[in-house]
């Protein structure tokens, strides 16, 4: 039975509400036959920030990603969000075709009654929280089958795992833009439609070809001609691999119609240090620095600042030592990262620990805030150091 205007006015009178202060249109709600089904979980409510709403209205997609054993995330074209269920004490009603007060004002509706059927209801909704993309799995997948060169026996084995862009989008909990950016960080390249990471020894072999050519031709590292490199090194390695190496370790530019690369001394010194340290558990620091400087191309200067996030120096041992500690080998979550670091070393200076937690900082988070949350500070020989807030087993 539908309410009349007289019944509505009587209800307003009992509630002591002034009809003049309300919109003239009245929604009379009733539960339809499908309401119980909709409440049983056939539909989910998702709260979106305005920019995501606009993306949907513009025809873009939002994608939920995650395997069965992973916490689901929602990805836009360039951002990743955690999905969390938020309960509410207010019942949320699903009303098809419901008009908002702003829409009713525009229609300048006269005194009328709108009989509205409730399709369903819910006491919770999904809310989004911006999170870091979960990219550790990306390197893990690509390292299942690193590229060792065109003559490698593995390249003839069709059973070796390889991943296309679509495969990575299906398996990595990150937006497409974040995945593509990380592929650049990993120095990955697309070979035959599949994304591959170069096996480190093969990558160093390519780099060595380039630096030896630069030395033999007496070129400046700031002006390495692409075409000449391809002509000279083409008989040794595929041209696309030579160009990929130049892109990884240099910056491309054009001068008078010719393509050149300006090689990055810091990247080359860092890669050389990685090569020296990868087979040594620990290296005498003084000896390492001497060998390292002798191993880089002439004219390049080595510095320990080039090794942040790659190697750690122990100043308290005698003699002082250095060893490989790569940030991308550490756990991806905040607590796991700090547990791993404090298991390795009980007390850290901010200078030493910063390169290993910098990537954990969110958009508005600082290294200081992370240290305050997960560590305690104290003074040791006049230097502030940090140790774990919780016991480390």
């Amino acid at each position: 039975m539908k309410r009349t205007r007289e019944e509505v006015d009587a209800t307003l009178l009992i509630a002591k509400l002034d009809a003049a202060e309300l919109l003239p249109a009245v929604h009379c709600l009733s539960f339809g036959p499908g309401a119980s089904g909709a409440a049983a979980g056939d539909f989910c409510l998702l709260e979106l920030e305005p920019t995501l709403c606009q993306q949907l209205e513009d025809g873009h997609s939002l994608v939920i990603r995650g395997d069965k054993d992973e916490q689901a995330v929602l990805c836009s074209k360039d951002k990743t969000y955690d999905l969390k269920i938020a309960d509410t004490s207010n019942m949320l009603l699903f009303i098809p075709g419901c008009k908002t007060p702003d829409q009713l004002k525009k229609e300048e509706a006269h005194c009328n009654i709108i009989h509205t059927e409730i399709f369903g209801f819910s006491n919770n909704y999904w809310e989004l929280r911006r999170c870091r993309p979960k990219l550790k799995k990306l390197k893990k997948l690509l390292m299942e089958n690193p590229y060792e060169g065109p003559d490698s026996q593995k390249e003839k084995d069709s059973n070796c795992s390889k991943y296309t862009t679509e495969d990575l989008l299906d398996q990595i909990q990150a937006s497409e833009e974040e995945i593509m950016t990380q592929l650049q960080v990993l120095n990955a390249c697309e070979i035959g439609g599949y994304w591959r990471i170069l096996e480190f020894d093969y990558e160093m072999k390519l780099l060595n070809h380039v630096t030896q050519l630069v030395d033999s031709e007496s070129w400046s590292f700031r002006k390495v001609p692409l075409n000449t490199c391809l002509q000279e090194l083409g008989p040794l390695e595929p041209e696309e691999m030579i160009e990929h190496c130049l892109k990884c370790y240099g910056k491309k530019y054009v001068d008078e119609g010719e393509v050149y690369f300006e090689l990055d001394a810091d990247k080359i010194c860092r890669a050389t240090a990685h090569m020296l340290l990868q087979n040594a558990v620990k290296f005498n620091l003084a000896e390492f620095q001497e060998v390292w400087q002798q191993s880089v191309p002439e004219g390049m200067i080595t510095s320990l600042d080039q090794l942040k996030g790659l190697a750690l120096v122990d100043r308290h041992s005698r003699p002082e030592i250095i060893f490989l500690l790569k940030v991308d080998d550490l756990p991806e979550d905040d607590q796991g990262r700090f547990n791993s670091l404090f298991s390795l070393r009980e007390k850290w200076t901010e200078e030493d620990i910063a390169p290993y937690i910098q990537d954990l900082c969110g958009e508005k988070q600082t290294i200081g805030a992370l240290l305050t949350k997960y560590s305690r500070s104290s003074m040791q020989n006049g230097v502030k150091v940090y140790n774990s807030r919780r016991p480390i087993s």
Side-chain angles (χ1 to χ4, degrees):
M1 185 173 175
K2 295 184 177 181
R3 285 188 177 185
T4 64
R5 184 72 214 189
E6 289 73 20
E7 290 173 325
V8 170
D9 290 339
T11 302
L12 291 176
L13 187 62
I14 293 170
K16 297 181 180 179
L17 294 174
D18 185 356
E21 296 177 355
L22 306 175
L23 290 175
V26 177
H27 277 284
C28 291
L29 306 179
S30 62
F31 284 90
S36 59
D42 292 339
F43 298 90
C44 293
L45 294 176
L46 180 64
E47 183 181 63
L48 297 177
E49 58 187 41
T51 53
L52 291 180
C53 280
Q54 188 61 51
Q55 288 183 28
L56 285 178
E57 291 170 359
D58 291 342
H60 299 293
S61 299
L62 300 178
V63 185
I64 294 176
R65 294 192 171 116
D67 288 337
K68 290 182 179 180
D69 59 342
E70 295 173 327
Q71 177 70 39
V73 299
L74 183 138
C75 299
S76 65
K77 184 177 66 174
D78 60 348
K79 293 183 177 65
T80 303
Y81 301 84
D82 274 327
L83 279 166
K84 304 287 185 182
I85 291 182
D87 294 317
T88 174
S89 57
N90 296 320
M91 184 179 289
L92 304 171
L93 305 178
F94 304 163
I95 304 176
C98 181
K99 293 181 179 179
T100 64
D102 289 340
Q103 290 172 323
L104 292 173
K105 284 179 182 178
K106 290 178 181 178
E107 293 181 0
E108 297 181 354
H110 296 292
C111 212
N112 62 349
I113 295 180
I114 302 172
H115 294 282
T116 303
E117 190 174 278
I118 299 170
F119 183 71
F121 59 90
S122 177
N123 291 110
N124 57 53
Y125 60 94
W126 291 94
E127 66 177 6
L128 305 181
R129 295 177 187 172
R130 180 75 191 281
C131 68
R132 295 191 306 275
K134 297 170 174 58
L135 294 165
K136 193 175 183 66
K137 186 178 178 182
L138 177 59
K139 184 177 181 181
K140 181 182 177 183
L141 293 178
L142 296 182
M143 287 304 292
E144 292 173 357
N145 181 27
Y147 185 71
E148 298 176 0
D151 299 327
S152 169
Q153 185 61 39
K154 288 201 302 182
E155 294 308 304
K156 301 169 186 175
D157 184 359
S158 58
N159 295 322
C160 289
S161 55
K162 297 178 184 177
Y163 299 94
T164 63
T165 299
E166 287 302 315
D167 294 332
L168 297 177
L169 288 172
D170 284 341
Q171 298 195 48
I172 306 302
Q173 291 186 287
S175 69
E176 182 172 0
E177 188 172 302
E178 289 166 330
I179 290 173
M180 300 310 289
T181 298
Q182 186 65 13
L183 286 170
Q184 289 185 350
V185 171
L186 294 172
N187 288 342
C189 61
E190 210 168 1
I191 302 173
Y194 298 96
W195 284 101
R196 310 290 297 277
I197 287 181
L198 303 193
E199 192 271 332
F200 184 67
D201 288 342
Y202 180 63
E203 183 177 321
M204 293 307 295
K205 178 183 175 183
L206 293 171
L207 181 59
N208 192 46
H209 284 322
V210 171
T211 55
Q212 284 186 349
L213 180 62
V214 171
D215 181 60
S216 66
E217 297 290 341
S218 299
W219 292 332
S220 166
F221 282 108
R222 293 186 177 86
K223 197 170 187 178
V224 179
L226 172 61
N227 287 335
T228 308
C229 279
L230 298 181
Q231 290 168 10
E232 295 293 328
L233 300 177
L236 302 175
E237 297 292 344
E239 290 186 359
E240 58 270 23
M241 290 295 98
I242 299 298
E243 185 168 0
H244 175 67
C245 180
L246 288 168
K247 288 178 180 176
C248 292
Y249 290 96
K251 184 177 180 181
K252 186 177 180 179
Y253 68 95
V254 177
D255 184 23
E256 296 181 354
E258 290 291 323
V259 178
Y260 294 92
F261 280 86
E262 180 181 354
L263 296 184
D264 189 319
D266 287 343
K267 287 184 178 180
I268 294 174
C269 291
R270 183 181 175 92
T272 305
H274 187 181
M275 178 185 67
L276 295 172
L277 291 168
Q278 66 175 347
N279 296 319
V281 178
K282 294 179 181 179
F283 210 130
N284 179 298
L285 179 60
E287 293 178 359
F288 166 76
Q289 288 180 294
E290 183 179 350
V291 173
W292 183 26
Q293 183 61 59
Q294 293 171 353
S295 302
V296 300
E298 187 177 350
M300 292 188 178
I301 306 298
T302 59
S303 166
L304 291 177
D305 286 340
Q306 296 163 340
L307 306 185
K308 290 180 178 179
L310 175 69
L312 188 63
V313 174
D314 186 349
R315 300 285 186 185
H316 297 290
S317 67
R318 292 293 178 267
E320 294 178 340
I321 59 171
I322 185 170
F323 55 94
L324 201 64
L325 180 62
K326 297 188 287 184
V327 66
D328 51 0
D329 288 341
L330 298 173
E332 200 169 27
D333 65 291
D334 293 7
Q335 189 62 65
R337 178 77 61 86
F338 276 91
N339 288 348
S340 180
L341 291 171
F342 286 124
S343 296
L344 180 68
R345 176 184 287 184
E346 182 183 359
K347 295 183 179 182
W348 292 74
T349 63
E350 183 173 347
E351 181 182 5
D352 283 347
I353 202 172
Y356 294 102
I357 61 173
Q358 179 68 57
D359 62 311
L360 300 180
C361 294
E363 286 183 317
K364 299 179 180 178
Q365 198 170 32
T366 63
I367 288 174
L370 279 173
L371 288 172
T372 299
K373 183 175 181 180
Y374 294 102
S375 69
R376 289 190 175 94
S377 65
S378 59
M379 299 301 292
Q380 182 174 295
N381 298 326
V383 178
K384 182 182 279 191
V385 293
Y386 298 86
N387 63 287
S388 178
R389 277 190 174 275
R390 57 173 63 184
I392 299 297
S393 56

